[in-house]
Amino acid sequence: MSTVTLENKTILVTGAAGFIGSNLVKRIYQETSSVTVIGIDNMNDYYDVALKDFRLNELTKYPTFTFIKGNIADKALITEVFEKYKPSVVVNLAAQAGVRYSITNPDAYVESNLVGFFNILEACRHCENLEHLVYASSSSVYGSNKKVPYSTEDKVDNPVSLYAATKKSNELMAHAYSKLYNIPSTGLRFFTVYGPAGRPDMAYFGFTNKLRNNETIKIFNYGNCKRDFTYVDDIVEGVVRVMKKAPDKKNGEDGLPIPPYAVYNIGNQNPENLLDFVQILSEELVRAGVLPEDYDFEAHKELVPMQPGDVPVTYADTSALERDFGYKPSTSLRDGLRKFAEWYAEFYR
Ligand SMILES: NC(=O)c1ccc[n+]([C@@H]2O[C@H](COP(=O)([O-])OP(=O)(O)OC[C@H]3O[C@@H](n4cnc5c(N)ncnc54)[C@H](O)[C@@H]3O)[C@@H](O)[C@H]2O)c1
């Protein structure tokens, strides 16, 4: 792999007002202050925009951070941004996320995840100093894979949602561009990321809102779900390590480039039962003062069947990440949910 230094470089992060994107920008500035980060986000209202404003506000303290409000599906804008800033590293996190929403709003996925990602690839192709394109894929590409843990060697041709199909498509498109134009690209399959200022459409956040409003939470598949929950700091640590090592550019026997292309899982490699997760969450919400000490948790829990597009288990094999980057996520659910609960108590005070 080739080392990519971040010092004195320009890095483009799409989805910079998003949950992972905003944490990534902070983590990049921890790595080095002599860097310029350009963030793009269209600030769409898929979930409460106040959260995106809150995250962006935390980034204003970095003098070399520039924010551009815009859509990655807008080809003219993306071309202009690349021509103006000439990024050395691009991290594409902008996407329409969520599995269930893709059933009712498929267009948003085609626009952001396919057209948007295509525009990023095209711009990378014409960007002379580009050293590495890193982009978000998802554990959802594994569909209802029976074999666990999920390895990047597994066949992932059977997506069970349009969201998953777009993420798998991103990997295929990146492969073609890596091969055709020798663009070093690394796709990262994230596994259920959680943490402070996270996404309200995700279970832990939705559960918290409901419990606080005295509503009942629905636990799908009667609680027989396992998720490889991954704390956001662990994810962005992994992303930064990956950014700094790009797949090598090499020629094959035919004299043509072997695509400098890689895909990794980033997850905790420790799936937790949804019911245990909810138990820890409720304890931490009480500890942080979001719920009262005597909260009748059992009375607010309803076990219901599986939802379309959902999968019963996600479990990451992260041995390749460990081998190539010497890194493995390790934050416990207790510690991660504690930080989430404390943030929630403060934010919604
Ligand atoms: N959070 C997870 O558990 C998880 C798991 C697997 C994969 N991912 C992927 O990681 C990436 C980041 O996820 P996140 O959890 O931070 O989600 P997020 O929704 O918080 O962040 C995505 C950001 O991209 C922006 N965006 C969406 N479409 C855009 C467009 N067309 N142009 C410009 N900006 C646009 C949104 O406004 C949002 O701020 C996404 O690609 C997502 O699919 C996340």
Side-chain angles (χ1 to χ4, degrees):
M1 283 190 282
S2 315
T3 303
V4 177
T5 52
L6 303 185
E7 283 77 20
N8 304 314
K9 300 273 175 68
T10 297
I11 298 171
L12 176 70
V13 177
T14 74
F19 172 40
I20 300 173
S22 58
N23 280 288
L24 176 66
V25 175
K26 285 191 229 165
R27 179 64 188 78
I28 292 170
Y29 280 109
Q30 271 169 27
E31 187 78 7
T32 169
S33 55
S34 58
V35 66
T36 300
V37 180
I38 312 299
I40 301 183
D41 201 300
N42 67 355
M43 306 295 279
N44 69 58
D45 63 359
Y46 165 59
Y47 60 76
D48 188 1
V49 179
L51 271 165
K52 297 183 183 182
D53 288 331
F54 168 81
R55 299 182 190 127
L56 266 187
N57 193 39
E58 292 196 314
L59 304 181
T60 54
K61 67 177 177 215
Y62 304 110
T64 61
F65 176 71
T66 299
F67 179 68
I68 298 162
K69 185 175 174 191
N71 190 338
I72 60 163
D74 176 348
K75 188 161 191 164
L77 172 82
I78 294 305
T79 308
E80 189 189 310
V81 168
F82 272 72
E83 276 172 5
K84 180 165 180 197
Y85 295 103
K86 302 183 173 46
S88 299
V89 180
V90 173
V91 186
N92 187 63
L93 301 172
Q96 179 57 57
V99 166
R100 289 186 198 131
Y101 188 73
S102 68
I103 293 166
T104 46
N105 296 276
D107 303 62
Y109 292 77
V110 172
E111 178 183 320
S112 296
N113 305 10
L114 297 181
V115 177
F117 188 63
F118 166 70
N119 289 341
I120 297 294
L121 286 173
E122 267 293 293
C124 286
R125 166 187 174 187
H126 298 293
C127 184
E128 274 161 27
N129 38 338
L130 185 85
E131 294 177 60
H132 200 185
L133 164 66
V134 178
Y135 60 94
S137 182
S138 165
S139 62
S140 64
V141 300
Y142 292 105
S144 35
N145 210 18
K146 294 282 179 294
K147 179 193 143 283
V148 287
Y150 294 170
S151 156
T152 45
E153 304 294 312
D154 298 346
K155 185 170 171 284
V156 287
D157 290 332
N158 302 300
V160 295
S161 67
L162 180 67
Y163 170 67
T166 64
K167 288 294 176 180
K168 169 69 184 173
S169 305
N170 288 171
E171 295 179 2
L172 296 171
M173 292 157 82
H175 188 277
Y177 269 67
S178 289
K179 170 75 181 162
L180 289 169
Y181 310 113
N182 224 1
I183 299 171
S185 78
T186 305
L188 296 173
R189 295 178 180 166
F190 298 144
F191 282 67
T192 322
V193 190
Y194 73 99
R199 271 175 33 209
D201 61 320
M202 292 185 67
Y204 69 100
F205 205 129
F207 285 170
T208 303
N209 289 338
K210 284 210 155 83
L211 292 171
R212 193 184 54 148
N213 292 338
N214 237 341
E215 293 166 31
T216 305
I217 59 170
K218 286 193 169 66
I219 301 183
F220 294 115
N221 205 24
Y222 306 101
N224 293 322
C225 269
K226 283 190 156 198
R227 286 285 176 277
D228 206 341
F229 295 101
T230 316
Y231 188 60
V232 67
D233 287 5
D234 289 351
I235 289 286
V236 298
E237 176 63 34
V239 176
V240 167
R241 286 175 184 243
V242 167
M243 287 164 71
K244 296 194 296 181
K245 271 184 172 185
D248 276 331
K249 291 184 181 179
K250 284 187 285 213
N251 282 345
E253 283 170 8
D254 57 2
L256 294 174
I258 299 174
Y261 167 89
V263 170
Y264 293 90
N265 288 333
I266 302 198
N268 227 353
Q269 203 168 324
N270 179 27
E272 305 263 2
N273 195 295
L274 195 56
L275 287 176
D276 297 336
F277 173 86
V278 166
Q279 179 63 35
I280 299 175
L281 174 65
S282 65
E283 288 165 13
E284 290 305 324
L285 291 173
V286 170
R287 184 182 172 277
V290 175
L291 300 179
E293 292 278 349
D294 59 352
Y295 194 81
D296 184 359
F297 180 61
E298 290 305 313
H300 292 86
K301 207 166 72 175
E302 189 190 344
L303 302 179
V304 298
M306 186 104 140
Q307 296 290 291
D310 264 359
V311 294
V313 63
T314 67
Y315 181 179
D317 176 345
T318 55
S319 50
L321 187 77
E322 240 181 302
R323 181 195 65 215
D324 294 348
F325 301 97
Y327 179 66
K328 182 178 178 313
S330 61
T331 304
S332 71
L333 217 44
R334 175 73 63 188
D335 290 348
L337 286 175
R338 180 161 297 181
K339 294 212 178 89
F340 166 72
E342 286 169 353
W343 167 81
Y344 188 99
E346 179 70 26
F347 189 77
Y348 292 103
R349 194 191 294 278

